[in-house]
Amino acid sequence: MEHDVLPGVLIIAALVAATLITRFLPFLLFPAGRKQPQFISYLGKTLPYASMGLLVVYCLKGVTWTSSPFGFPEVAAVLCVAGLHRWKHNVLVSIGGGTVIYMALIQAVVPMLLS
């Protein structure tokens, strides 16, 4: 019985170690008071936009545009996220609102339209 616990403990220990390393390594590599390398500053400015673009492409990659519901829930959610973000300038409100709209459409509206 005790041999069954060891793999789980090792996996949890590895996850804890990886989390601690990723949380504390930036503070060790780039201490306060020292100028950041230009490349790191560049990544800090460009990666958020690249990440959002990647997420949009990933979310829309499986959409069937040629059959019902023709991507309507996905496009409505994207427009909701964009509109909320332009209005509130809050990422959590934008993503949360888009998620609520998307889930409402695919759970309630689209099945009603397809039946």
Side-chain angles (χ1 to χ4, degrees):
M1 189 77 148
E2 59 195 45
H3 296 288
D4 296 334
V5 175
L6 183 61
V9 170
L10 291 176
I11 289 171
I12 291 172
L15 290 171
V16 167
T19 301
L20 289 175
I21 288 170
T22 58
R23 297 291 181 187
F24 294 120
L25 192 60
F27 294 103
L28 296 174
L29 292 176
F30 309 111
R34 206 171 102 195
K35 188 169 173 9
Q36 279 185 347
Q38 281 185 332
F39 182 68
I40 299 299
S41 297
Y42 169 76
L43 289 177
K45 290 177 186 169
T46 57
L47 279 181
Y49 300 107
S51 299
M52 288 307 292
L54 182 68
L55 285 172
V56 169
V57 169
Y58 178 76
C59 289
L60 299 178
K61 74 176 173 57
V63 176
T64 306
W65 301 101
T66 56
S67 64
S68 185
F70 304 103
F72 172 71
E74 292 83 0
V75 171
V78 167
L79 292 174
C80 177
V81 168
L84 281 172
H85 193 70
R86 185 171 171 89
W87 178 40
K88 289 292 184 180
H89 299 286
N90 185 320
V91 174
L92 293 177
V93 170
S94 305
I95 294 173
T99 302
V100 167
I101 293 296
Y102 177 73
M103 293 307 291
L105 288 171
I106 65 167
Q107 296 292 325
V109 177
V110 171
M112 199 170 27
L113 293 174
L114 294 178
S115 59

mmCIF file of all heavy atoms in Angstrom, residues 44-95:
data_model
loop_
_atom_site.group_PDB
_atom_site.id
_atom_site.type_symbol
_atom_site.label_atom_id
_atom_site.label_comp_id
_atom_site.label_asym_id
_atom_site.label_seq_id
_atom_site.Cartn_x
_atom_site.Cartn_y
_atom_site.Cartn_z
ATOM 1 N N GLY A 44 8.174 42.113 -22.683
ATOM 2 C CA GLY A 44 7.112 42.576 -21.799
ATOM 3 C C GLY A 44 6.099 43.447 -22.513
ATOM 4 O O GLY A 44 4.921 43.478 -22.148
ATOM 5 N N LYS A 45 6.532 44.148 -23.557
ATOM 6 C CA LYS A 45 5.618 45.012 -24.308
ATOM 7 C C LYS A 45 4.873 44.248 -25.403
ATOM 8 O O LYS A 45 3.732 44.569 -25.712
ATOM 9 C CB LYS A 45 6.393 46.163 -24.948
ATOM 10 C CG LYS A 45 6.907 47.165 -23.940
ATOM 11 C CD LYS A 45 7.732 48.228 -24.613
ATOM 12 C CE LYS A 45 8.345 49.137 -23.570
ATOM 13 N NZ LYS A 45 9.356 50.017 -24.128
ATOM 14 N N THR A 46 5.513 43.260 -26.005
ATOM 15 C CA THR A 46 4.909 42.606 -27.168
ATOM 16 C C THR A 46 4.197 41.292 -26.856
ATOM 17 O O THR A 46 3.239 40.940 -27.548
ATOM 18 C CB THR A 46 5.971 42.330 -28.244
ATOM 19 O OG1 THR A 46 7.005 41.527 -27.678
ATOM 20 C CG2 THR A 46 6.550 43.619 -28.783
ATOM 21 N N LEU A 47 4.622 40.560 -25.856
ATOM 22 C CA LEU A 47 4.025 39.253 -25.595
ATOM 23 C C LEU A 47 2.546 39.286 -25.205
ATOM 24 O O LEU A 47 1.796 38.390 -25.613
ATOM 25 C CB LEU A 47 4.835 38.488 -24.549
ATOM 26 C CG LEU A 47 6.072 37.777 -25.072
ATOM 27 C CD1 LEU A 47 6.777 37.029 -23.958
ATOM 28 C CD2 LEU A 47 5.757 36.845 -26.209
ATOM 29 N N PRO A 48 2.076 40.270 -24.444
ATOM 30 C CA PRO A 48 0.631 40.274 -24.160
ATOM 31 C C PRO A 48 -0.229 40.325 -25.425
ATOM 32 O O PRO A 48 -1.218 39.605 -25.537
ATOM 33 C CB PRO A 48 0.432 41.525 -23.304
ATOM 34 C CG PRO A 48 1.751 41.724 -22.644
ATOM 35 C CD PRO A 48 2.775 41.305 -23.668
ATOM 36 N N TYR A 49 0.166 41.130 -26.399
ATOM 37 C CA TYR A 49 -0.591 41.226 -27.645
ATOM 38 C C TYR A 49 -0.465 39.935 -28.450
ATOM 39 O O TYR A 49 -1.442 39.458 -29.031
ATOM 40 C CB TYR A 49 -0.123 42.426 -28.475
ATOM 41 C CG TYR A 49 -0.297 43.726 -27.745
ATOM 42 C CD1 TYR A 49 0.789 44.419 -27.234
ATOM 43 C CD2 TYR A 49 -1.563 44.252 -27.548
ATOM 44 C CE1 TYR A 49 0.623 45.613 -26.552
ATOM 45 C CE2 TYR A 49 -1.754 45.447 -26.867
ATOM 46 C CZ TYR A 49 -0.650 46.119 -26.375
ATOM 47 O OH TYR A 49 -0.819 47.289 -25.699
ATOM 48 N N ALA A 50 0.731 39.380 -28.495
ATOM 49 C CA ALA A 50 0.932 38.120 -29.207
ATOM 50 C C ALA A 50 0.135 36.995 -28.554
ATOM 51 O O ALA A 50 -0.451 36.152 -29.245
ATOM 52 C CB ALA A 50 2.420 37.770 -29.239
ATOM 53 N N SER A 51 0.094 36.983 -27.238
ATOM 54 C CA SER A 51 -0.671 35.955 -26.524
ATOM 55 C C SER A 51 -2.156 36.078 -26.818
ATOM 56 O O SER A 51 -2.842 35.070 -27.025
ATOM 57 C CB SER A 51 -0.445 36.069 -25.016
ATOM 58 O OG SER A 51 0.906 35.884 -24.710
ATOM 59 N N MET A 52 -2.686 37.288 -26.841
ATOM 60 C CA MET A 52 -4.105 37.478 -27.133
ATOM 61 C C MET A 52 -4.417 37.060 -28.571
ATOM 62 O O MET A 52 -5.438 36.416 -28.830
ATOM 63 C CB MET A 52 -4.516 38.933 -26.904
ATOM 64 C CG MET A 52 -4.565 39.324 -25.442
ATOM 65 S SD MET A 52 -5.572 38.248 -24.422
ATOM 66 C CE MET A 52 -7.193 38.586 -25.034
ATOM 67 N N GLY A 53 -3.547 37.405 -29.497
ATOM 68 C CA GLY A 53 -3.739 36.972 -30.884
ATOM 69 C C GLY A 53 -3.734 35.459 -31.006
ATOM 70 O O GLY A 53 -4.563 34.871 -31.706
ATOM 71 N N LEU A 54 -2.809 34.824 -30.309
ATOM 72 C CA LEU A 54 -2.732 33.364 -30.308
ATOM 73 C C LEU A 54 -3.990 32.753 -29.716
ATOM 74 O O LEU A 54 -4.525 31.766 -30.245
ATOM 75 C CB LEU A 54 -1.503 32.918 -29.518
ATOM 76 C CG LEU A 54 -1.237 31.438 -29.450
ATOM 77 C CD1 LEU A 54 -0.843 30.903 -30.811
ATOM 78 C CD2 LEU A 54 -0.135 31.157 -28.447
ATOM 79 N N LEU A 55 -4.504 33.319 -28.628
ATOM 80 C CA LEU A 55 -5.733 32.813 -28.021
ATOM 81 C C LEU A 55 -6.935 32.961 -28.948
ATOM 82 O O LEU A 55 -7.780 32.062 -29.031
ATOM 83 C CB LEU A 55 -6.001 33.532 -26.700
ATOM 84 C CG LEU A 55 -5.117 33.109 -25.534
ATOM 85 C CD1 LEU A 55 -5.350 34.036 -24.345
ATOM 86 C CD2 LEU A 55 -5.366 31.678 -25.151
ATOM 87 N N VAL A 56 -7.026 34.073 -29.658
ATOM 88 C CA VAL A 56 -8.135 34.264 -30.588
ATOM 89 C C VAL A 56 -8.074 33.219 -31.700
ATOM 90 O O VAL A 56 -9.072 32.572 -32.026
ATOM 91 C CB VAL A 56 -8.136 35.695 -31.178
ATOM 92 C CG1 VAL A 56 -9.108 35.821 -32.335
ATOM 93 C CG2 VAL A 56 -8.464 36.701 -30.094
ATOM 94 N N VAL A 57 -6.889 33.014 -32.273
ATOM 95 C CA VAL A 57 -6.733 32.015 -33.323
ATOM 96 C C VAL A 57 -7.057 30.627 -32.787
ATOM 97 O O VAL A 57 -7.777 29.849 -33.431
ATOM 98 C CB VAL A 57 -5.298 32.057 -33.905
ATOM 99 C CG1 VAL A 57 -5.024 30.866 -34.804
ATOM 100 C CG2 VAL A 57 -5.093 33.353 -34.663
ATOM 101 N N TYR A 58 -6.585 30.298 -31.602
ATOM 102 C CA TYR A 58 -6.846 28.993 -31.001
ATOM 103 C C TYR A 58 -8.345 28.788 -30.748
ATOM 104 O O TYR A 58 -8.885 27.717 -31.011
ATOM 105 C CB TYR A 58 -6.069 28.847 -29.691
ATOM 106 C CG TYR A 58 -6.323 27.542 -29.000
ATOM 107 C CD1 TYR A 58 -5.737 26.371 -29.450
ATOM 108 C CD2 TYR A 58 -7.170 27.472 -27.898
ATOM 109 C CE1 TYR A 58 -5.982 25.162 -28.825
ATOM 110 C CE2 TYR A 58 -7.437 26.273 -27.266
ATOM 111 C CZ TYR A 58 -6.822 25.117 -27.726
ATOM 112 O OH TYR A 58 -7.089 23.933 -27.110
ATOM 113 N N CYS A 59 -9.010 29.816 -30.262
ATOM 114 C CA CYS A 59 -10.442 29.701 -29.969
ATOM 115 C C CYS A 59 -11.283 29.573 -31.230
ATOM 116 O O CYS A 59 -12.350 28.960 -31.209
ATOM 117 C CB CYS A 59 -10.917 30.898 -29.154
ATOM 118 S SG CYS A 59 -10.293 30.887 -27.471
ATOM 119 N N LEU A 60 -10.837 30.142 -32.324
ATOM 120 C CA LEU A 60 -11.624 30.130 -33.549
ATOM 121 C C LEU A 60 -11.194 29.057 -34.543
ATOM 122 O O LEU A 60 -11.805 28.924 -35.603
ATOM 123 C CB LEU A 60 -11.576 31.507 -34.224
ATOM 124 C CG LEU A 60 -12.142 32.669 -33.412
ATOM 125 C CD1 LEU A 60 -11.983 33.971 -34.171
ATOM 126 C CD2 LEU A 60 -13.585 32.424 -33.044
ATOM 127 N N LYS A 61 -10.186 28.259 -34.213
ATOM 128 C CA LYS A 61 -9.657 27.296 -35.179
ATOM 129 C C LYS A 61 -10.618 26.170 -35.511
ATOM 130 O O LYS A 61 -10.597 25.640 -36.601
ATOM 131 C CB LYS A 61 -8.329 26.718 -34.696
ATOM 132 C CG LYS A 61 -8.435 25.724 -33.567
ATOM 133 C CD LYS A 61 -7.080 25.149 -33.235
ATOM 134 C CE LYS A 61 -7.098 24.274 -32.021
ATOM 135 N NZ LYS A 61 -8.001 23.168 -32.034
ATOM 136 N N GLY A 62 -11.487 25.796 -34.599
ATOM 137 C CA GLY A 62 -12.393 24.688 -34.842
ATOM 138 C C GLY A 62 -13.799 25.101 -35.249
ATOM 139 O O GLY A 62 -14.693 24.262 -35.311
ATOM 140 N N VAL A 63 -13.982 26.357 -35.567
ATOM 141 C CA VAL A 63 -15.314 26.852 -35.905
ATOM 142 C C VAL A 63 -15.688 26.397 -37.312
ATOM 143 O O VAL A 63 -14.900 26.503 -38.247
ATOM 144 C CB VAL A 63 -15.369 28.394 -35.818
ATOM 145 C CG1 VAL A 63 -16.716 28.917 -36.270
ATOM 146 C CG2 VAL A 63 -15.063 28.843 -34.419
ATOM 147 N N THR A 64 -16.905 25.886 -37.444
ATOM 148 C CA THR A 64 -17.426 25.501 -38.755
ATOM 149 C C THR A 64 -18.206 26.690 -39.307
ATOM 150 O O THR A 64 -19.304 26.996 -38.835
ATOM 151 C CB THR A 64 -18.348 24.271 -38.620
ATOM 152 O OG1 THR A 64 -17.631 23.242 -37.947
ATOM 153 C CG2 THR A 64 -18.797 23.785 -39.978
ATOM 154 N N TRP A 65 -17.617 27.338 -40.287
ATOM 155 C CA TRP A 65 -18.206 28.558 -40.832
ATOM 156 C C TRP A 65 -19.257 28.269 -41.906
ATOM 157 O O TRP A 65 -20.017 29.152 -42.276
ATOM 158 C CB TRP A 65 -17.112 29.444 -41.431
ATOM 159 C CG TRP A 65 -16.068 29.844 -40.444
ATOM 160 C CD1 TRP A 65 -14.832 29.300 -40.301
ATOM 161 C CD2 TRP A 65 -16.162 30.858 -39.444
ATOM 162 N NE1 TRP A 65 -14.150 29.917 -39.272
ATOM 163 C CE2 TRP A 65 -14.943 30.875 -38.731
ATOM 164 C CE3 TRP A 65 -17.155 31.754 -39.071
ATOM 165 C CZ2 TRP A 65 -14.696 31.751 -37.675
ATOM 166 C CZ3 TRP A 65 -16.902 32.625 -38.024
ATOM 167 C CH2 TRP A 65 -15.690 32.625 -37.340
ATOM 168 N N THR A 66 -19.287 27.022 -42.409
ATOM 169 C CA THR A 66 -20.160 26.704 -43.543
ATOM 170 C C THR A 66 -21.455 25.992 -43.153
ATOM 171 O O THR A 66 -22.257 25.675 -44.017
ATOM 172 C CB THR A 66 -19.400 25.836 -44.552
ATOM 173 O OG1 THR A 66 -18.915 24.665 -43.887
ATOM 174 C CG2 THR A 66 -18.239 26.605 -45.159
ATOM 175 N N SER A 67 -21.626 25.694 -41.857
ATOM 176 C CA SER A 67 -22.876 25.057 -41.431
ATOM 177 C C SER A 67 -23.355 25.709 -40.143
ATOM 178 O O SER A 67 -22.592 26.358 -39.436
ATOM 179 C CB SER A 67 -22.686 23.550 -41.244
ATOM 180 O OG SER A 67 -21.784 23.290 -40.198
ATOM 181 N N SER A 68 -24.636 25.499 -39.859
ATOM 182 C CA SER A 68 -25.254 26.133 -38.696
ATOM 183 C C SER A 68 -24.526 25.740 -37.421
ATOM 184 O O SER A 68 -24.131 24.592 -37.268
ATOM 185 C CB SER A 68 -26.718 25.698 -38.629
ATOM 186 O OG SER A 68 -27.380 26.373 -37.599
ATOM 187 N N PRO A 69 -24.252 26.653 -36.529
ATOM 188 C CA PRO A 69 -24.692 28.050 -36.409
ATOM 189 C C PRO A 69 -23.738 29.053 -37.039
ATOM 190 O O PRO A 69 -23.769 30.233 -36.686
ATOM 191 C CB PRO A 69 -24.790 28.241 -34.906
ATOM 192 C CG PRO A 69 -23.724 27.391 -34.346
ATOM 193 C CD PRO A 69 -23.669 26.191 -35.266
ATOM 194 N N PHE A 70 -22.872 28.617 -37.963
ATOM 195 C CA PHE A 70 -22.017 29.494 -38.768
ATOM 196 C C PHE A 70 -21.066 30.362 -37.945
ATOM 197 O O PHE A 70 -20.724 31.459 -38.337
ATOM 198 C CB PHE A 70 -22.863 30.393 -39.687
ATOM 199 C CG PHE A 70 -23.783 29.626 -40.575
ATOM 200 C CD1 PHE A 70 -25.134 29.551 -40.285
ATOM 201 C CD2 PHE A 70 -23.291 28.961 -41.686
ATOM 202 C CE1 PHE A 70 -25.991 28.841 -41.103
ATOM 203 C CE2 PHE A 70 -24.143 28.245 -42.509
ATOM 204 C CZ PHE A 70 -25.493 28.180 -42.214
ATOM 205 N N GLY A 71 -20.658 29.875 -36.792
ATOM 206 C CA GLY A 71 -19.710 30.610 -35.966
ATOM 207 C C GLY A 71 -20.321 31.768 -35.200
ATOM 208 O O GLY A 71 -19.597 32.593 -34.626
ATOM 209 N N PHE A 72 -21.644 31.844 -35.174
ATOM 210 C CA PHE A 72 -22.299 32.962 -34.487
ATOM 211 C C PHE A 72 -21.917 33.069 -33.014
ATOM 212 O O PHE A 72 -21.595 34.172 -32.545
ATOM 213 C CB PHE A 72 -23.826 32.862 -34.644
ATOM 214 C CG PHE A 72 -24.568 33.851 -33.806
ATOM 215 C CD1 PHE A 72 -24.555 35.201 -34.119
ATOM 216 C CD2 PHE A 72 -25.250 33.441 -32.672
ATOM 217 C CE1 PHE A 72 -25.220 36.122 -33.334
ATOM 218 C CE2 PHE A 72 -25.926 34.356 -31.876
ATOM 219 C CZ PHE A 72 -25.907 35.701 -32.215
ATOM 220 N N PRO A 73 -21.921 31.965 -32.223
ATOM 221 C CA PRO A 73 -21.563 32.110 -30.804
ATOM 222 C C PRO A 73 -20.138 32.614 -30.602
ATOM 223 O O PRO A 73 -19.886 33.452 -29.735
ATOM 224 C CB PRO A 73 -21.720 30.695 -30.235
ATOM 225 C CG PRO A 73 -22.571 29.969 -31.196
ATOM 226 C CD PRO A 73 -22.346 30.596 -32.528
ATOM 227 N N GLU A 74 -19.229 32.126 -31.425
ATOM 228 C CA GLU A 74 -17.833 32.529 -31.287
ATOM 229 C C GLU A 74 -17.634 33.995 -31.654
ATOM 230 O O GLU A 74 -16.951 34.738 -30.934
ATOM 231 C CB GLU A 74 -16.933 31.630 -32.151
ATOM 232 C CG GLU A 74 -16.843 30.206 -31.670
ATOM 233 C CD GLU A 74 -18.003 29.317 -32.116
ATOM 234 O OE1 GLU A 74 -18.915 29.811 -32.821
ATOM 235 O OE2 GLU A 74 -17.996 28.137 -31.736
ATOM 236 N N VAL A 75 -18.230 34.409 -32.765
ATOM 237 C CA VAL A 75 -18.093 35.809 -33.191
ATOM 238 C C VAL A 75 -18.764 36.732 -32.184
ATOM 239 O O VAL A 75 -18.214 37.790 -31.841
ATOM 240 C CB VAL A 75 -18.673 36.001 -34.613
ATOM 241 C CG1 VAL A 75 -18.736 37.470 -34.990
ATOM 242 C CG2 VAL A 75 -17.831 35.230 -35.622
ATOM 243 N N ALA A 76 -19.933 36.338 -31.670
ATOM 244 C CA ALA A 76 -20.616 37.156 -30.663
ATOM 245 C C ALA A 76 -19.768 37.292 -29.409
ATOM 246 O O ALA A 76 -19.674 38.384 -28.822
ATOM 247 C CB ALA A 76 -21.973 36.543 -30.324
ATOM 248 N N ALA A 77 -19.121 36.206 -28.996
ATOM 249 C CA ALA A 77 -18.270 36.259 -27.806
ATOM 250 C C ALA A 77 -17.051 37.142 -28.040
ATOM 251 O O ALA A 77 -16.668 37.927 -27.161
ATOM 252 C CB ALA A 77 -17.846 34.851 -27.405
ATOM 253 N N VAL A 78 -16.436 37.032 -29.209
ATOM 254 C CA VAL A 78 -15.266 37.874 -29.520
ATOM 255 C C VAL A 78 -15.671 39.344 -29.527
ATOM 256 O O VAL A 78 -14.972 40.200 -28.966
ATOM 257 C CB VAL A 78 -14.636 37.460 -30.875
ATOM 258 C CG1 VAL A 78 -13.644 38.494 -31.357
ATOM 259 C CG2 VAL A 78 -13.957 36.102 -30.752
ATOM 260 N N LEU A 79 -16.798 39.658 -30.146
ATOM 261 C CA LEU A 79 -17.261 41.050 -30.168
ATOM 262 C C LEU A 79 -17.606 41.544 -28.769
ATOM 263 O O LEU A 79 -17.337 42.708 -28.427
ATOM 264 C CB LEU A 79 -18.462 41.191 -31.097
ATOM 265 C CG LEU A 79 -18.170 41.002 -32.583
ATOM 266 C CD1 LEU A 79 -19.460 41.019 -33.393
ATOM 267 C CD2 LEU A 79 -17.192 42.042 -33.083
ATOM 268 N N CYS A 80 -18.161 40.663 -27.950
ATOM 269 C CA CYS A 80 -18.477 41.025 -26.562
ATOM 270 C C CYS A 80 -17.196 41.332 -25.782
ATOM 271 O O CYS A 80 -17.132 42.327 -25.060
ATOM 272 C CB CYS A 80 -19.245 39.888 -25.900
ATOM 273 S SG CYS A 80 -19.620 40.196 -24.177
ATOM 274 N N VAL A 81 -16.192 40.481 -25.940
ATOM 275 C CA VAL A 81 -14.919 40.713 -25.248
ATOM 276 C C VAL A 81 -14.314 42.039 -25.696
ATOM 277 O O VAL A 81 -13.876 42.847 -24.867
ATOM 278 C CB VAL A 81 -13.935 39.539 -25.496
ATOM 279 C CG1 VAL A 81 -12.539 39.896 -25.027
ATOM 280 C CG2 VAL A 81 -14.420 38.284 -24.806
ATOM 281 N N ALA A 82 -14.292 42.272 -26.998
ATOM 282 C CA ALA A 82 -13.713 43.520 -27.510
ATOM 283 C C ALA A 82 -14.494 44.737 -27.015
ATOM 284 O O ALA A 82 -13.901 45.735 -26.582
ATOM 285 C CB ALA A 82 -13.682 43.493 -29.039
ATOM 286 N N GLY A 83 -15.824 44.656 -27.070
ATOM 287 C CA GLY A 83 -16.648 45.782 -26.620
ATOM 288 C C GLY A 83 -16.508 46.049 -25.132
ATOM 289 O O GLY A 83 -16.367 47.202 -24.706
ATOM 290 N N LEU A 84 -16.540 44.993 -24.335
ATOM 291 C CA LEU A 84 -16.380 45.173 -22.888
ATOM 292 C C LEU A 84 -15.001 45.729 -22.535
ATOM 293 O O LEU A 84 -14.867 46.563 -21.644
ATOM 294 C CB LEU A 84 -16.616 43.851 -22.154
ATOM 295 C CG LEU A 84 -18.066 43.436 -21.958
ATOM 296 C CD1 LEU A 84 -18.145 42.024 -21.387
ATOM 297 C CD2 LEU A 84 -18.783 44.413 -21.046
ATOM 298 N N HIS A 85 -13.993 45.242 -23.259
ATOM 299 C CA HIS A 85 -12.649 45.733 -22.939
ATOM 300 C C HIS A 85 -12.490 47.197 -23.347
ATOM 301 O O HIS A 85 -11.859 47.974 -22.631
ATOM 302 C CB HIS A 85 -11.580 44.873 -23.605
ATOM 303 C CG HIS A 85 -10.226 45.153 -23.054
ATOM 304 N ND1 HIS A 85 -9.856 44.785 -21.783
ATOM 305 C CD2 HIS A 85 -9.165 45.822 -23.562
ATOM 306 C CE1 HIS A 85 -8.625 45.191 -21.547
ATOM 307 N NE2 HIS A 85 -8.189 45.825 -22.605
ATOM 308 N N ARG A 86 -13.069 47.553 -24.449
ATOM 309 C CA ARG A 86 -12.999 48.962 -24.870
ATOM 310 C C ARG A 86 -13.754 49.860 -23.889
ATOM 311 O O ARG A 86 -13.354 50.980 -23.615
ATOM 312 C CB ARG A 86 -13.582 49.102 -26.275
ATOM 313 C CG ARG A 86 -13.458 50.458 -26.864
ATOM 314 C CD ARG A 86 -13.860 50.414 -28.322
ATOM 315 N NE ARG A 86 -13.961 51.730 -28.878
ATOM 316 C CZ ARG A 86 -12.967 52.400 -29.442
ATOM 317 N NH1 ARG A 86 -11.785 51.833 -29.514
ATOM 318 N NH2 ARG A 86 -13.145 53.598 -29.932
ATOM 319 N N TRP A 87 -14.851 49.345 -23.339
ATOM 320 C CA TRP A 87 -15.675 50.113 -22.413
ATOM 321 C C TRP A 87 -15.075 50.163 -21.018
ATOM 322 O O TRP A 87 -14.915 51.234 -20.435
ATOM 323 C CB TRP A 87 -17.070 49.499 -22.387
ATOM 324 C CG TRP A 87 -18.042 50.139 -21.437
ATOM 325 C CD1 TRP A 87 -18.204 51.466 -21.186
ATOM 326 C CD2 TRP A 87 -18.994 49.460 -20.628
ATOM 327 N NE1 TRP A 87 -19.209 51.659 -20.266
ATOM 328 C CE2 TRP A 87 -19.717 50.435 -19.910
ATOM 329 C CE3 TRP A 87 -19.331 48.124 -20.445
ATOM 330 C CZ2 TRP A 87 -20.727 50.114 -19.022
ATOM 331 C CZ3 TRP A 87 -20.343 47.808 -19.570
ATOM 332 C CH2 TRP A 87 -21.019 48.799 -18.868
ATOM 333 N N LYS A 88 -14.699 49.008 -20.448
ATOM 334 C CA LYS A 88 -14.274 48.940 -19.049
ATOM 335 C C LYS A 88 -12.764 48.893 -18.846
ATOM 336 O O LYS A 88 -12.285 49.138 -17.743
ATOM 337 C CB LYS A 88 -14.892 47.707 -18.367
ATOM 338 C CG LYS A 88 -16.368 47.828 -18.128
ATOM 339 C CD LYS A 88 -16.638 48.890 -17.092
ATOM 340 C CE LYS A 88 -18.093 48.969 -16.749
ATOM 341 N NZ LYS A 88 -18.370 49.974 -15.765
ATOM 342 N N HIS A 89 -12.019 48.526 -19.860
ATOM 343 C CA HIS A 89 -10.557 48.394 -19.748
ATOM 344 C C HIS A 89 -10.166 47.469 -18.604
ATOM 345 O O HIS A 89 -9.236 47.737 -17.846
ATOM 346 C CB HIS A 89 -9.875 49.759 -19.577
ATOM 347 C CG HIS A 89 -10.113 50.670 -20.730
ATOM 348 N ND1 HIS A 89 -9.488 50.506 -21.934
ATOM 349 C CD2 HIS A 89 -10.938 51.742 -20.865
ATOM 350 C CE1 HIS A 89 -9.899 51.449 -22.766
ATOM 351 N NE2 HIS A 89 -10.786 52.208 -22.141
ATOM 352 N N ASN A 90 -10.890 46.364 -18.476
ATOM 353 C CA ASN A 90 -10.636 45.398 -17.421
ATOM 354 C C ASN A 90 -10.650 44.009 -18.043
ATOM 355 O O ASN A 90 -11.679 43.552 -18.547
ATOM 356 C CB ASN A 90 -11.708 45.513 -16.337
ATOM 357 C CG ASN A 90 -11.437 44.625 -15.148
ATOM 358 O OD1 ASN A 90 -11.003 43.494 -15.292
ATOM 359 N ND2 ASN A 90 -11.712 45.142 -13.961
ATOM 360 N N VAL A 91 -9.505 43.333 -17.996
ATOM 361 C CA VAL A 91 -9.362 42.032 -18.644
ATOM 362 C C VAL A 91 -10.323 41.005 -18.049
ATOM 363 O O VAL A 91 -10.942 40.225 -18.776
ATOM 364 C CB VAL A 91 -7.895 41.548 -18.553
ATOM 365 C CG1 VAL A 91 -7.746 40.143 -19.097
ATOM 366 C CG2 VAL A 91 -6.983 42.492 -19.287
ATOM 367 N N LEU A 92 -10.454 40.997 -16.730
ATOM 368 C CA LEU A 92 -11.324 40.005 -16.093
ATOM 369 C C LEU A 92 -12.785 40.207 -16.494
ATOM 370 O O LEU A 92 -13.502 39.239 -16.767
ATOM 371 C CB LEU A 92 -11.172 40.055 -14.577
ATOM 372 C CG LEU A 92 -9.820 39.606 -14.038
ATOM 373 C CD1 LEU A 92 -9.768 39.782 -12.529
ATOM 374 C CD2 LEU A 92 -9.538 38.172 -14.411
ATOM 375 N N VAL A 93 -13.236 41.444 -16.536
ATOM 376 C CA VAL A 93 -14.607 41.726 -16.947
ATOM 377 C C VAL A 93 -14.796 41.341 -18.413
ATOM 378 O O VAL A 93 -15.806 40.721 -18.782
ATOM 379 C CB VAL A 93 -14.955 43.216 -16.720
ATOM 380 C CG1 VAL A 93 -16.282 43.579 -17.366
ATOM 381 C CG2 VAL A 93 -14.969 43.529 -15.241
ATOM 382 N N SER A 94 -13.831 41.661 -19.247
ATOM 383 C CA SER A 94 -13.931 41.364 -20.673
ATOM 384 C C SER A 94 -14.010 39.862 -20.927
ATOM 385 O O SER A 94 -14.919 39.384 -21.624
ATOM 386 C CB SER A 94 -12.726 41.932 -21.423
ATOM 387 O OG SER A 94 -12.597 43.295 -21.184
ATOM 388 N N ILE A 95 -13.071 39.118 -20.387
ATOM 389 C CA ILE A 95 -13.037 37.675 -20.615
ATOM 390 C C ILE A 95 -14.220 37.001 -19.937
ATOM 391 O O ILE A 95 -14.852 36.104 -20.507
ATOM 392 C CB ILE A 95 -11.696 37.088 -20.146
ATOM 393 C CG1 ILE A 95 -10.575 37.631 -21.039
ATOM 394 C CG2 ILE A 95 -11.715 35.571 -20.187
ATOM 395 C CD1 ILE A 95 -9.188 37.266 -20.581
#
